[in-house]
Amino acid sequence: EENLIPWLQEKQREGYTIVGMEQTPPSSNMITSVSSMNKFQFPKRAVLLLGKEKKGLPILFHPYIDWFIPILPHQVGITRCLNEHISGAICIWEYAKQQQQPE
């Protein structure tokens, strides 16, 4: 995990925005957060950082994340959470959809 930090820093220097997905709602220490994925305007140069199943993003990565998007499913029925890979796929779909829109 520690090897990822220098890579994240390099990507930020290259102009990428680090976007972290977290299963908990935005909290006071997540100053740059949005209430849901569909309200977030993805930058063209983005790195999506997913956490671990059931544990979320390790706290050591939080200082390097520019934006937090909560994993809060808005669906019919009862579910505790979406798997990380499903959340990541939905996020990538939203990113791709936004990038295809004319400027």
Side-chain angles (χ1 to χ4, degrees):
E1 290 181 354
E2 296 81 21
N3 295 334
L4 185 57
I5 292 173
W7 186 82
L8 292 173
Q9 291 172 318
E10 177 183 340
K11 291 298 155 194
Q12 285 176 317
R13 284 191 299 275
E14 292 174 3
Y16 285 85
T17 300
I18 311 301
V19 179
M21 293 195 74
E22 190 58 89
Q23 69 184 41
T24 56
S27 64
S28 59
N29 67 334
M30 295 181 187
I31 297 169
T32 52
S33 61
V34 292
S35 59
S36 67
M37 185 184 321
N38 63 354
K39 294 184 180 182
F40 182 67
Q41 182 61 46
F42 283 91
K44 287 195 182 291
R45 296 175 64 119
V47 171
L48 179 61
L49 188 61
L50 302 175
K52 298 177 180 181
E53 290 287 336
K54 298 182 185 177
K55 295 181 181 179
L57 285 166
I59 197 86
L60 69 105
F61 296 130
H62 285 202
Y64 306 97
I65 297 173
D66 300 305
W67 284 92
F68 287 90
I69 297 175
I71 301 170
L72 296 173
H74 299 285
Q75 64 217 18
V76 177
I78 298 172
T79 183
R80 293 189 60 209
C81 69
L82 296 174
N83 290 344
E84 289 290 326
H85 70 282
I86 298 297
S87 299
I90 293 169
C91 194
I92 291 168
W93 176 82
E94 181 65 29
Y95 169 85
K97 182 179 80 169
Q98 289 182 14
Q99 300 310 312
Q100 291 178 356
Q101 295 175 356
E103 293 182 30

